[in-house]
Amino acid sequence: MNKVMSNKWIIAMYVLPAFLLIAVLIFVPLILIGYYGLMDWNGIGPMTFIGLENYINAIQDSSFWQSAYHSFLLALFSTLSLALYLAVSLILASKIKGADLLRKIYLIPMLLSSVAIAQLWIKVYNPSNGMLNTILGWFGVTNPPNWLADPSVVLFAIFIPILWQYAGFYILIYYAALKNIPESLIEAARIDGATPLQIAMRIKLPLIMGVVKVTIVLAVVGSLKYFDLIYIMTGGGPNGASEVMASYMYTLAFSTNNFGYGSAIGFLLLIITLIVTVIVRKLTADKEQLQY
């Protein structure tokens, strides 16, 4: 067996199918989208090579930078919300009564499709008979905003269902990490007189910090490329007030049939996401890893 696995040709044969699959599904589309960004193309007719014109126009496009700002704002809110998810996980892992039921409830959004979640929250935000405005009316708010049509509030109204949708995912990750902490450490701390808050901050949090760093990367990258819920609920409107980079790319490519410019936006989205991912990983890396 060792002789077989030491043969480079046999190893290459095992690796080749996976490499071909990755190449077809990932690398080839990335190369093509970068290539299409060099073209003036409506998606159907002949392509005309225009060089970097689409990329230059994108860099000078205020709508693109507005959508990029919205994407980074979503990434910021997603990262800050991790603290809330971690707090909930700490409570669930402390053996409170009903923890199993609460954990299942938090997972419900993960079981729903984005279309179902979007339709649910559209009903919640309905200006005439939506649940949110009805509750605000009970507290004397007589003129609540039209949540999905008011440019001043629509972006934050969209963020709430997005954060709600992925709450169960991050809570489950943190809960699993916390349950892997040896109970002997917790018991020793309790014997020494440590309070629950001290145990959480001095023992539990440092031991799962590696998992926390991974979730930060996931939250930032996922936010920068987020698309579906925003497109279904508002389509990026009103007047681009809830547009993000992915929805702006989709609008350019499929609503205006400007596939060349849309591809350039998509390739820039890839570059920005890669750069931000590298920066976040550097910021969250341990000192020992950086020295290595």
Side-chain angles (χ1 to χ4, degrees):
M1 184 66 180
N2 292 333
K3 182 178 180 180
V4 173
M5 296 308 298
S6 62
N7 191 314
K8 296 182 179 180
W9 290 105
I10 295 178
I11 294 175
M13 290 178 60
Y14 278 110
V15 174
L16 184 60
F19 178 79
L20 291 176
L21 184 64
I22 293 174
V24 171
L25 296 180
I26 298 179
F27 294 131
V28 172
L30 292 180
I31 295 172
L32 287 177
I33 195 173
Y35 171 73
Y36 292 149
L38 302 173
M39 304 293 173
D40 180 15
W41 185 40
N42 62 6
I44 301 175
M47 292 185 291
T48 303
F49 181 78
I50 58 174
L52 297 176
E53 183 177 336
N54 284 329
Y55 294 96
I56 295 174
N57 291 337
I59 294 174
Q60 298 173 346
D61 186 355
S62 60
S63 296
F64 169 70
W65 290 114
Q66 182 186 28
S67 66
Y69 168 73
H70 295 162
S71 293
F72 279 103
L73 199 60
L74 175 58
L76 175 62
F77 274 78
S78 298
T79 304
L80 294 177
S81 67
L82 294 178
L84 176 60
Y85 303 151
L86 180 57
V88 173
S89 301
L90 287 168
I91 295 173
L92 293 178
S94 61
K95 299 180 181 180
I96 64 169
K97 187 176 181 179
D100 290 339
L101 176 61
L102 290 174
R103 193 168 68 252
K104 292 180 176 65
I105 292 175
Y106 290 134
L107 289 176
I108 290 177
M110 293 180 59
L111 305 178
L112 302 176
S113 68
S114 295
V115 175
I117 292 175
Q119 293 302 319
L120 171 64
W121 282 89
I122 287 174
K123 298 297 183 183
V124 171
Y125 287 136
N126 189 292
S128 57
N129 56 5
M131 183 178 69
L132 179 57
N133 284 356
T134 299
I135 295 175
L136 291 176
W138 295 346
F139 291 93
V141 180
T142 58
N143 190 26
N146 189 340
W147 298 98
L148 298 181
D150 188 342
S152 63
V153 299
V154 62
L155 192 63
F156 300 100
I158 288 291
F159 286 173
I160 292 175
I162 294 175
L163 300 180
W164 176 78
Q165 180 183 15
Y166 289 98
F169 172 74
Y170 291 109
I171 290 173
L172 182 62
I173 291 177
Y174 290 146
Y175 179 83
L178 290 168
K179 297 304 288 185
N180 282 329
I181 297 176
E183 189 64 27
S184 58
L185 293 177
I186 309 300
E187 290 298 330
R190 288 181 183 145
I191 293 173
D192 289 339
T195 65
L197 180 59
Q198 290 174 329
I199 292 174
M201 300 303 296
R202 302 286 182 87
I203 298 177
K204 293 183 178 180
L205 187 57
L207 289 176
I208 66 167
M209 188 53 65
V211 176
V212 173
K213 293 175 180 179
V214 171
T215 57
I216 291 174
V217 175
L218 291 176
V220 172
V221 174
S223 299
L224 292 179
K225 63 185 184 65
Y226 197 82
F227 168 75
D228 47 4
L229 204 65
I230 292 176
Y231 184 78
I232 296 169
M233 293 185 69
T234 65
N239 297 324
S242 62
E243 197 86 81
V244 292
M245 286 188 287
S247 63
Y248 186 55
M249 172 193 69
Y250 182 90
T251 300
L252 288 172
F254 295 97
S255 296
T256 64
N257 292 328
N258 195 343
F259 277 80
Y261 193 31
S263 298
I265 296 293
F267 196 75
L268 289 176
L269 171 58
L270 169 66
I271 299 300
I272 292 173
T273 303
L274 287 175
I275 293 174
V276 172
T277 302
V278 172
I279 293 174
V280 172
R281 288 181 61 86
K282 288 290 185 182
L283 292 176
T284 58
D286 295 331
K287 293 181 180 179
E288 292 79 4
Q289 292 176 332
L290 291 177
Q291 292 172 356
Y292 177 79

